[in-house]
Amino acid sequence: QKEVEQNSGPLSVPEGAIASLNCTYSDRGSQSFFWYRQYSGKSPELIMFIYSNGDKEDGRFTAQLNKASQYVSLLIRDSQPSDSATYLCAEDGGSQGNLIFGKGTKLSVKP
Amino acid sequence: EAGVVQSPRYKIIEKKQPVAFWCNPISGHNTLYWYLQNLGQGPELLIRYENEEAVDDSQLPKDRFSAERLKGVDSTLKIQPAELGDSAVYLCASSFGGGAPGELFFGEGSRLTVL
């Protein structure tokens, strides 16, 4: 049974700081990983995906993947109050689109 | 372009009553998913359709849950009879083969409360 583990938080950071969100996964054979953002009362939306070891940058967001440690992270630079949301880590469950989600980490960015 | 549309947004019923949720995916998206999200949890897949075929329904509790996707477009998820533990948000999502990997477009969800 594949599992994705996340600290539920809340993680509180001041505006302008770097927010670091972490996720571990159980299946060493997993290939693709995704970060979704979910605002309170809203539906999840994809913000980044990564499938190669190392870093992938997109604007203020950097996804990091370490397959040896089975560890995925998301860094948000220059955090803004509008980044306050729950961030869901997900892995490809083996069939395209059958994403396995973690419980999510609630991020709060304080002005 | 319209997103994934779900209805109703909210539904309150008593246990043992039936309930149905409807989803209209983004035009041209051949893959449709129903996910269940409990409070404080991530979404869990119930069923996935490729066009009108259910290709993964292994997590669907078939004793009380049923789903259909007529003509490969709209879909309906039904629960009969509902139990207290079914209170959750039911999310519909769609995707198409040419998009980014793992990019699912979710609807706003249907929040079910079973009393």
Side-chain angles (χ1 to χ4, degrees):
Chain A
Q1 182 80 3
K2 295 189 175 188
E3 289 188 352
V4 176
E5 298 284 342
Q6 292 183 260
N7 187 324
S8 60
L11 174 66
S12 184
V13 301
E15 184 175 356
I18 296 175
S20 178
L21 303 160
N22 306 311
C23 161
T24 59
Y25 58 95
S26 61
D27 187 349
R28 187 171 291 277
S30 293
Q31 297 293 318
S32 305
F33 302 89
F34 310 88
W35 284 99
Y36 276 75
R37 178 177 60 201
Q38 187 172 26
Y39 291 112
S40 181
K42 300 296 185 181
S43 56
E45 59 179 335
L46 180 68
I47 53 173
M48 287 199 74
F49 65 89
I50 186 168
Y51 44 80
S52 299
N53 267 332
D55 296 0
K56 179 181 180 182
E57 187 174 318
D58 184 1
R60 295 186 297 113
F61 297 92
T62 299
Q64 299 175 319
L65 173 59
N66 183 326
K67 291 188 177 181
S69 301
Q70 297 177 230
Y71 182 91
V72 190
S73 65
L74 179 70
L75 302 178
I76 306 175
R77 291 182 300 279
D78 188 24
S79 295
Q80 301 297 308
S82 59
D83 294 326
S84 297
T86 295
Y87 289 80
L88 298 162
C89 175
E91 66 169 344
D92 186 335
S95 299
Q96 185 177 4
N98 283 10
L99 299 183
I100 297 172
F101 287 89
K103 294 182 178 181
T105 298
K106 186 173 184 178
L107 172 66
S108 177
V109 181
K110 302 296 186 183
Chain B
E1 180 182 290
V4 176
V5 179
Q6 291 188 246
S7 69
R9 289 293 313 279
Y10 304 92
K11 188 73 175 180
I12 301 174
I13 60 172
E14 294 189 348
K15 63 181 180 182
K16 300 185 181 180
Q17 294 299 306
V19 64
F21 305 112
W22 173 82
C23 173
N24 179 244
I26 293 173
S27 178
H29 284 197
N30 60 320
T31 306
L32 183 146
Y33 316 77
W34 283 101
Y35 278 87
L36 175 153
Q37 187 171 27
N38 286 301
L39 187 65
Q41 303 292 315
E44 300 172 38
L45 181 71
L46 290 173
I47 189 168
R48 175 169 66 97
Y49 283 92
E50 295 290 346
N51 299 305
E52 66 274 11
E53 181 182 0
V55 296
D56 187 348
D57 62 355
S58 57
Q59 301 302 312
L60 188 73
K62 299 181 182 64
D63 57 336
R64 297 185 300 108
F65 286 66
S66 64
E68 61 181 7
R69 189 182 185 195
L70 299 176
K71 301 181 180 179
V73 182
D74 295 358
S75 178
T76 302
L77 178 70
K78 298 179 181 178
I79 308 174
Q80 182 171 10
E83 297 179 352
L84 295 176
D86 296 331
S87 296
V89 176
Y90 292 82
L91 293 166
C92 179
S94 68
S95 67
F96 74 108
E103 185 169 26
L104 276 58
F105 294 84
F106 285 88
E108 292 293 330
S110 294
R111 182 179 296 275
L112 174 66
T113 301
V114 182
L115 303 176

